[in-house]
Amino acid sequence: MRAAVMYGAGDVRVEDRPDPKIVEPTDAVVRTVAACVCGSDLWPYRSMPATGTGRPMGHEFLGVVEETGAEVTGLRAGDLVVAPFTYSDNTCDYCAKGLQISCRHGGRYGFDGVDGGQGEAVRVPCADGTLVKLPVAADSALVPSLLALSDVMTTGHHGAVTAGVRRGDTVLVVGDGAVGLCAVIAARRLGAERIVLAGRHEERTALGREFGATDVVAERGAEGVARVRELTGGVAKVIEAVGTRQALDTALGAVLDGGTVSRLGAPQYEEGPLGRAGFLRNITLTGGASPARAYIERLLPDVLDGTIDPGRVFDRTFPLDRTPDAYRAMADRQVLKALVRP
Ligand SMILES: [Zn+2]
Protein backbone atom coordinates (compact mmCIF):
# COMPACT_ATOMS: atom_id res chain seq x y z
CA MET A 1 0.00 0.00 0.00
CA ARG A 2 0.95 3.64 -0.30
CA ALA A 3 1.41 5.65 2.92
CA ALA A 4 2.99 8.90 4.14
CA VAL A 5 6.19 8.64 6.16
CA MET A 6 8.11 11.51 7.77
CA TYR A 7 11.90 11.25 7.67
CA GLY A 8 12.66 14.54 9.36
CA ALA A 9 11.66 18.20 9.38
CA GLY A 10 10.17 19.16 6.02
CA ASP A 11 10.67 15.65 4.65
CA VAL A 12 7.42 13.74 4.13
CA ARG A 13 7.39 10.99 1.50
CA VAL A 14 4.62 8.80 0.18
CA GLU A 15 6.00 5.34 -0.35
CA ASP A 16 5.16 1.66 -0.65
CA ARG A 17 4.76 -0.09 2.66
CA PRO A 18 3.59 -3.59 3.59
CA ASP A 19 -0.17 -4.08 3.45
CA PRO A 20 -1.59 -4.18 6.98
CA LYS A 21 -2.54 -7.64 8.24
CA ILE A 22 -4.36 -8.82 11.33
CA VAL A 23 -1.73 -9.36 14.06
CA GLU A 24 -3.79 -9.58 17.24
CA PRO A 25 -7.25 -11.20 17.34
CA THR A 26 -8.66 -7.84 18.49
CA ASP A 27 -7.35 -6.01 15.39
CA ALA A 28 -9.22 -4.77 12.36
CA VAL A 29 -7.81 -3.64 9.04
CA VAL A 30 -9.47 -0.49 7.76
CA ARG A 31 -9.24 0.66 4.14
CA THR A 32 -8.94 4.45 4.33
CA VAL A 33 -11.61 6.59 2.66
CA ALA A 34 -10.51 9.97 4.03
CA ALA A 35 -7.65 11.14 6.22
CA CYS A 36 -6.14 14.50 7.07
CA VAL A 37 -3.14 16.43 8.30
CA CYS A 38 -3.31 17.66 11.90
CA GLY A 39 -1.93 20.90 13.24
CA SER A 40 0.06 18.70 15.62
CA ASP A 41 1.68 16.95 12.60
CA LEU A 42 3.25 20.33 11.83
CA TRP A 43 5.33 20.32 15.02
CA PRO A 44 7.49 17.35 13.87
CA TYR A 45 7.29 18.75 10.33
CA ARG A 46 9.16 21.78 11.69
CA SER A 47 11.49 20.12 14.16
CA MET A 48 11.92 16.34 13.75
CA PRO A 49 15.59 15.28 13.55
CA ALA A 50 16.41 13.39 10.34
CA THR A 51 15.98 9.63 10.65
CA GLY A 52 16.74 6.77 8.30
CA THR A 53 13.71 4.73 9.25
CA GLY A 54 10.98 7.36 9.21
CA ARG A 55 7.71 7.54 11.06
CA PRO A 56 4.33 6.66 9.49
CA MET A 57 2.16 9.76 9.76
CA GLY A 58 -1.47 10.55 10.42
CA HIS A 59 -3.88 9.81 13.25
CA GLU A 60 -7.20 11.02 11.84
CA PHE A 61 -8.97 8.72 9.41
CA LEU A 62 -12.25 7.27 8.35
CA GLY A 63 -12.64 4.15 6.28
CA VAL A 64 -14.22 0.81 5.53
CA VAL A 65 -13.48 -2.27 7.62
CA GLU A 66 -11.79 -4.79 5.37
CA GLU A 67 -10.97 -7.60 7.78
CA THR A 68 -11.46 -8.32 11.49
CA GLY A 69 -9.57 -10.50 13.96
CA ALA A 70 -11.20 -13.54 15.53
CA GLU A 71 -12.16 -11.72 18.75
CA VAL A 72 -13.76 -8.67 17.11
CA THR A 73 -17.51 -8.92 17.57
CA GLY A 74 -18.94 -5.45 16.99
CA LEU A 75 -17.66 -4.80 13.48
CA ARG A 76 -17.60 -6.60 10.19
CA ALA A 77 -16.18 -6.17 6.74
CA GLY A 78 -17.91 -3.38 4.86
CA ASP A 79 -18.70 -1.20 7.91
CA LEU A 80 -17.84 2.49 7.50
CA VAL A 81 -16.04 3.62 10.65
CA VAL A 82 -14.32 6.66 12.10
CA ALA A 83 -11.23 6.25 14.27
CA PRO A 84 -10.51 8.49 17.26
CA PHE A 85 -6.92 9.75 17.13
CA THR A 86 -5.67 7.14 19.60
CA TYR A 87 -6.81 3.55 19.98
CA SER A 88 -8.25 2.21 23.23
CA ASP A 89 -9.96 -0.92 24.55
CA ASN A 90 -12.92 1.03 25.97
CA THR A 91 -13.05 -1.38 28.92
CA CYS A 92 -10.21 -0.53 31.36
CA ASP A 93 -10.66 1.72 34.39
CA TYR A 94 -9.56 4.85 32.53
CA CYS A 95 -11.84 4.12 29.57
CA ALA A 96 -14.73 3.47 31.96
CA LYS A 97 -14.19 7.00 33.29
CA GLY A 98 -14.27 8.43 29.78
CA LEU A 99 -10.52 8.99 29.67
CA GLN A 100 -9.74 6.77 26.68
CA ILE A 101 -6.67 8.85 25.88
CA SER A 102 -5.07 7.21 28.97
CA CYS A 103 -6.25 3.66 28.12
CA ARG A 104 -4.02 1.04 29.74
CA HIS A 105 -3.95 -0.95 26.51
CA GLY A 106 -4.16 1.96 24.11
CA GLY A 107 -1.62 3.70 21.94
CA ARG A 108 -0.89 5.97 19.03
CA TYR A 109 -1.01 5.46 15.30
CA GLY A 110 2.37 5.49 13.63
CA PHE A 111 4.16 3.95 16.61
CA ASP A 112 4.92 0.40 17.83
CA GLY A 113 4.25 -1.26 14.50
CA VAL A 114 0.86 0.37 14.02
CA ASP A 115 0.24 2.17 10.73
CA GLY A 116 -0.39 5.88 10.42
CA GLY A 117 -3.69 7.20 9.15
CA GLN A 118 -2.24 8.94 6.07
CA GLY A 119 -2.16 5.80 3.96
CA GLU A 120 -4.32 3.42 2.03
CA ALA A 121 -5.03 1.14 4.99
CA VAL A 122 -4.47 0.90 8.74
CA ARG A 123 -4.25 -1.96 11.20
CA VAL A 124 -6.31 -0.76 14.17
CA PRO A 125 -5.62 -2.46 17.51
CA CYS A 126 -8.48 -2.85 20.02
CA ALA A 127 -10.89 -2.44 17.09
CA ASP A 128 -14.09 -3.05 19.05
CA GLY A 129 -13.15 -0.44 21.63
CA THR A 130 -11.79 2.08 19.17
CA LEU A 131 -13.77 2.29 15.96
CA VAL A 132 -17.21 3.86 15.77
CA LYS A 133 -19.55 2.60 13.09
CA LEU A 134 -21.16 5.28 10.92
CA PRO A 135 -24.69 4.96 9.52
CA VAL A 136 -23.87 6.52 6.13
CA ALA A 137 -22.23 5.41 2.91
CA ALA A 138 -18.56 6.03 2.10
CA ASP A 139 -19.53 8.58 -0.56
CA SER A 140 -21.71 10.61 1.84
CA ALA A 141 -21.31 14.40 1.72
CA LEU A 142 -21.00 14.19 5.52
CA VAL A 143 -17.61 12.44 5.34
CA PRO A 144 -15.53 15.58 6.09
CA SER A 145 -17.61 16.43 9.17
CA LEU A 146 -17.53 12.81 10.33
CA LEU A 147 -13.76 12.75 9.83
CA ALA A 148 -13.52 15.87 12.01
CA LEU A 149 -14.83 13.73 14.91
CA SER A 150 -11.54 11.86 14.77
CA ASP A 151 -9.72 14.76 16.37
CA VAL A 152 -10.43 18.45 15.80
CA MET A 153 -14.13 18.49 16.68
CA THR A 154 -13.82 16.15 19.66
CA THR A 155 -10.77 18.13 20.81
CA GLY A 156 -12.68 21.41 20.54
CA HIS A 157 -15.50 19.80 22.50
CA HIS A 158 -13.03 18.68 25.18
CA GLY A 159 -12.00 22.29 25.61
CA ALA A 160 -15.57 23.47 26.05
CA VAL A 161 -16.40 20.62 28.44
CA THR A 162 -13.32 21.00 30.63
CA ALA A 163 -13.67 24.78 30.67
CA GLY A 164 -17.17 24.14 32.05
CA VAL A 165 -19.03 26.03 29.31
CA ARG A 166 -22.72 26.40 30.08
CA ARG A 167 -25.74 28.17 28.68
CA GLY A 168 -25.38 31.93 28.69
CA ASP A 169 -21.60 31.94 29.24
CA THR A 170 -19.02 34.26 27.78
CA VAL A 171 -16.07 32.27 26.42
CA LEU A 172 -12.73 33.23 24.94
CA VAL A 173 -11.18 30.90 22.35
CA VAL A 174 -7.50 31.64 21.69
CA GLY A 175 -6.45 30.46 18.23
CA ASP A 176 -8.14 30.38 14.82
CA GLY A 177 -6.77 27.03 13.68
CA ALA A 178 -9.07 24.09 13.04
CA VAL A 179 -9.19 23.15 16.74
CA GLY A 180 -9.95 26.72 17.82
CA LEU A 181 -12.74 26.94 15.25
CA CYS A 182 -14.16 23.61 16.44
CA ALA A 183 -13.96 24.90 20.02
CA VAL A 184 -16.18 27.77 18.86
CA ILE A 185 -18.67 25.23 17.48
CA ALA A 186 -18.52 23.29 20.74
CA ALA A 187 -18.94 26.35 22.97
CA ARG A 188 -21.89 27.48 20.89
CA ARG A 189 -23.39 23.98 21.01
CA LEU A 190 -23.20 24.01 24.81
CA GLY A 191 -25.06 27.31 24.90
CA ALA A 192 -22.38 29.99 25.19
CA GLU A 193 -23.95 33.33 24.42
CA ARG A 194 -20.84 35.34 23.74
CA ILE A 195 -17.79 33.79 22.11
CA VAL A 196 -14.69 35.89 21.56
CA LEU A 197 -12.28 34.38 19.04
CA ALA A 198 -8.66 35.53 19.22
CA GLY A 199 -7.06 35.16 15.81
CA ARG A 200 -5.72 37.30 13.02
CA HIS A 201 -6.24 35.19 9.91
CA GLU A 202 -9.29 36.83 8.33
CA GLU A 203 -10.66 33.87 6.36
CA ARG A 204 -10.44 31.73 9.48
CA THR A 205 -12.01 34.20 11.83
CA ALA A 206 -14.79 34.74 9.26
CA LEU A 207 -15.50 31.00 9.41
CA GLY A 208 -15.33 31.30 13.20
CA ARG A 209 -18.08 33.90 13.06
CA GLU A 210 -20.19 31.55 10.98
CA PHE A 211 -19.58 28.87 13.59
CA GLY A 212 -20.83 31.18 16.34
CA ALA A 213 -18.08 33.59 17.38
CA THR A 214 -19.64 36.92 18.31
CA ASP A 215 -16.42 38.94 18.51
CA VAL A 216 -12.98 38.65 16.95
CA VAL A 217 -9.81 39.99 18.53
CA ALA A 218 -6.91 40.25 16.09
CA GLU A 219 -4.46 41.91 18.47
CA ARG A 220 -1.86 39.73 20.16
CA GLY A 221 -0.08 39.71 23.50
CA ALA A 222 -0.86 42.45 26.01
CA GLU A 223 -2.87 44.35 23.38
CA GLY A 224 -5.01 41.29 22.77
CA VAL A 225 -5.61 40.83 26.49
CA ALA A 226 -6.55 44.50 26.84
CA ARG A 227 -8.96 44.22 23.93
CA VAL A 228 -10.68 41.12 25.38
CA ARG A 229 -11.02 42.85 28.73
CA GLU A 230 -12.38 45.97 27.06
CA LEU A 231 -14.97 43.92 25.15
CA THR A 232 -16.05 41.64 27.96
CA GLY A 233 -14.75 42.92 31.26
CA GLY A 234 -12.78 39.65 31.45
CA VAL A 235 -13.94 36.10 30.82
CA ALA A 236 -14.32 33.25 33.30
CA LYS A 237 -13.84 30.49 30.71
CA VAL A 238 -10.99 30.37 28.24
CA ILE A 239 -10.06 27.70 25.70
CA GLU A 240 -6.43 27.89 24.53
CA ALA A 241 -6.12 26.14 21.16
CA VAL A 242 -2.61 26.99 19.97
CA GLY A 243 -0.01 25.51 22.31
CA THR A 244 2.52 28.33 22.38
CA ARG A 245 3.62 30.15 25.52
CA GLN A 246 2.25 33.38 24.05
CA ALA A 247 -1.20 31.84 23.64
CA LEU A 248 -1.11 30.54 27.22
CA ASP A 249 -0.11 34.00 28.47
CA THR A 250 -2.99 35.54 26.51
CA ALA A 251 -5.38 33.04 28.08
CA LEU A 252 -4.05 33.67 31.59
CA GLY A 253 -4.04 37.40 31.01
CA ALA A 254 -7.64 37.51 29.86
CA VAL A 255 -9.20 35.10 32.36
CA LEU A 256 -10.89 36.52 35.43
CA ASP A 257 -9.71 35.55 38.89
CA GLY A 258 -11.41 32.30 39.85
CA GLY A 259 -11.79 31.40 36.17
CA THR A 260 -10.79 28.40 34.11
CA VAL A 261 -8.28 28.00 31.30
CA SER A 262 -8.53 24.82 29.26
CA ARG A 263 -5.51 23.95 27.13
CA LEU A 264 -6.00 22.09 23.87
CA GLY A 265 -2.87 23.05 21.94
CA ALA A 266 -0.04 20.57 22.45
CA PRO A 267 2.33 22.72 24.59
CA GLN A 268 5.47 23.82 22.78
CA TYR A 269 6.90 25.13 26.05
CA GLU A 270 8.27 23.36 29.12
CA GLU A 271 7.90 26.13 31.67
CA GLY A 272 4.97 28.28 32.65
CA PRO A 273 3.65 30.54 35.37
CA LEU A 274 2.86 28.04 38.10
CA GLY A 275 3.99 30.31 40.92
CA ARG A 276 2.43 32.78 43.28
CA ALA A 277 0.70 35.01 40.74
CA GLY A 278 -1.60 32.31 39.43
CA PHE A 279 -2.07 30.89 42.92
CA LEU A 280 -3.34 34.16 44.28
CA ARG A 281 -5.83 34.39 41.40
CA ASN A 282 -7.46 30.97 42.00
CA ILE A 283 -7.23 30.03 38.36
CA THR A 284 -8.07 26.48 37.30
CA LEU A 285 -5.81 25.13 34.58
CA THR A 286 -7.41 22.16 32.84
CA GLY A 287 -7.78 20.56 29.41
CA GLY A 288 -5.18 18.34 27.82
CA ALA A 289 -5.30 15.62 25.21
CA SER A 290 -8.89 14.87 24.34
CA PRO A 291 -10.44 11.45 24.98
CA ALA A 292 -11.93 11.63 21.48
CA ARG A 293 -13.52 8.18 21.74
CA ALA A 294 -15.60 9.39 24.68
CA TYR A 295 -17.17 12.17 22.64
CA ILE A 296 -17.72 10.71 19.17
CA GLU A 297 -21.05 9.08 19.93
CA ARG A 298 -22.25 12.21 21.75
CA LEU A 299 -21.47 14.51 18.82
CA LEU A 300 -22.38 12.10 16.02
CA PRO A 301 -26.16 12.80 16.00
CA ASP A 302 -25.47 16.53 15.64
CA VAL A 303 -23.23 15.88 12.63
CA LEU A 304 -25.74 13.50 11.06
CA ASP A 305 -28.62 15.96 11.31
CA GLY A 306 -26.51 18.95 10.26
CA THR A 307 -26.68 20.83 13.57
CA ILE A 308 -22.90 21.13 13.44
CA ASP A 309 -20.75 21.10 10.32
CA PRO A 310 -17.11 20.91 11.47
CA GLY A 311 -16.04 19.52 8.09
CA ARG A 312 -15.99 23.10 6.86
CA VAL A 313 -12.51 23.44 8.38
CA PHE A 314 -11.20 21.35 5.47
CA ASP A 315 -10.46 23.90 2.80
CA ARG A 316 -8.46 21.77 0.37
CA THR A 317 -8.32 18.12 -0.64
CA PHE A 318 -5.11 16.40 -1.75
CA PRO A 319 -4.69 12.96 -3.31
CA LEU A 320 -2.60 10.71 -1.06
CA ASP A 321 0.46 10.92 -3.30
CA ARG A 322 0.47 14.69 -2.79
CA THR A 323 0.45 14.50 1.01
CA PRO A 324 3.87 16.27 1.11
CA ASP A 325 2.20 19.24 -0.62
CA ALA A 326 -0.56 19.13 1.98
CA TYR A 327 2.01 19.49 4.76
CA ARG A 328 3.75 22.33 2.93
CA ALA A 329 0.47 24.17 2.32
CA MET A 330 -0.55 23.90 5.95
CA ALA A 331 2.90 24.86 7.24
CA ASP A 332 2.82 27.92 4.94
CA ARG A 333 -0.68 28.75 6.25
CA GLN A 334 -2.14 28.59 2.76
CA VAL A 335 -4.47 25.83 3.89
CA LEU A 336 -6.36 25.68 7.19
CA LYS A 337 -6.75 21.90 7.23
CA ALA A 338 -5.94 19.46 4.44
CA LEU A 339 -8.11 16.48 3.63
CA VAL A 340 -6.22 13.55 2.10
CA ARG A 341 -7.97 11.05 -0.17
CA PRO A 342 -6.27 7.77 -1.05
ZN1 LIG B 1 -8.88 1.38 28.17
Side-chain angles (χ1 to χ4, degrees), residues 4 7 60 94 170 199 217 219 273-274 284 309:
Y7 284 89
E60 299 160 70
Y94 278 129
T170 296
V217 169
E219 295 88 346
L274 283 178
T284 300
D309 193 5

Side-chain angles (χ1 to χ4, degrees), residues 6-301:
M6 188 179 288
Y7 284 89
D11 186 3
V12 175
R13 307 173 202 170
V14 177
E15 55 187 36
D16 290 317
R17 293 183 62 81
D19 285 325
K21 300 241 181 315
I22 300 291
V23 176
E24 300 291 334
T26 46
D27 289 347
V29 172
V30 173
R31 177 73 39 187
T32 311
V33 168
C36 47
V37 180
C38 185
S40 69
D41 292 333
L42 296 181
W43 297 116
Y45 187 71
R46 293 193 181 104
S47 63
M48 182 173 150
T51 150
T53 50
R55 174 181 143 192
M57 293 302 293
H59 52 257
E60 299 160 70
F61 60 99
L62 175 157
V64 176
V65 174
E66 194 166 69
E67 196 185 348
T68 55
E71 289 175 24
V72 176
T73 58
L75 301 161
R76 58 182 176 183
D79 286 346
L80 185 73
V81 292
V82 63
F85 68 88
T86 60
Y87 56 86
S88 52
D89 59 13
N90 220 14
T91 54
C92 75
D93 55 336
Y94 278 129
C95 287
K97 280 194 282 199
L99 199 61
Q100 284 86 341
I101 188 80
S102 299
C103 177
R104 297 192 188 272
H105 306 105
R108 298 168 67 192
Y109 301 104
F111 295 90
D112 305 318
V114 176
D115 309 287
Q118 292 157 9
E120 287 179 321
V122 182
R123 177 177 72 89
V124 179
C126 305
D128 269 331
T130 301
L131 299 169
V132 179
K133 198 178 159 181
L134 301 169
V136 299
D139 60 355
S140 166
L142 291 174
V143 161
S145 284
L146 294 165
L147 175 63
L149 294 176
S150 184
D151 187 344
V152 278
M153 184 62 228
T154 40
T155 293
H157 181 68
H158 187 54
V161 168
T162 51
V165 174
R166 289 195 173 76
R167 193 153 298 283
D169 277 347
T170 296
V171 179
L172 168 66
V173 175
V174 181
D176 59 9
V179 168
L181 296 178
C182 287
V184 171
I185 296 176
R188 176 92 186 129
R189 182 179 168 279
L190 292 176
E193 197 171 290
R194 191 154 189 207
I195 303 171
V196 182
L197 175 61
R200 53 171 46 186
H201 193 296
E202 281 179 19
E203 280 174 37
R204 299 178 185 186
T205 54
L207 183 56
R209 283 188 191 274
E210 290 182 44
F211 283 159
T214 51
D215 304 83
V216 170
V217 169
E219 295 88 346
R220 280 189 174 175
E223 271 182 75
V225 169
R227 182 80 185 119
V228 172
R229 289 196 165 252
E230 182 187 310
L231 280 168
T232 63
V235 285
K237 294 167 184 181
V238 181
I239 301 169
E240 188 279 289
V242 182
T244 60
R245 180 61 198 274
Q246 185 186 42
L248 178 66
D249 288 344
T250 298
L252 291 170
V255 72
L256 290 166
D257 287 10
T260 302
V261 172
S262 173
R263 293 186 303 164
L264 298 180
Q268 301 307 305
Y269 49 87
E270 292 298 332
E271 292 180 351
L274 283 178
R276 202 177 159 84
F279 177 82
L280 287 172
R281 297 180 60 205
N282 284 284
I283 290 165
T284 300
L285 195 58
T286 181
S290 167
R293 182 62 180 78
Y295 300 133
I296 291 178
E297 280 147 331
R298 197 172 310 166
L299 297 174
L300 182 56

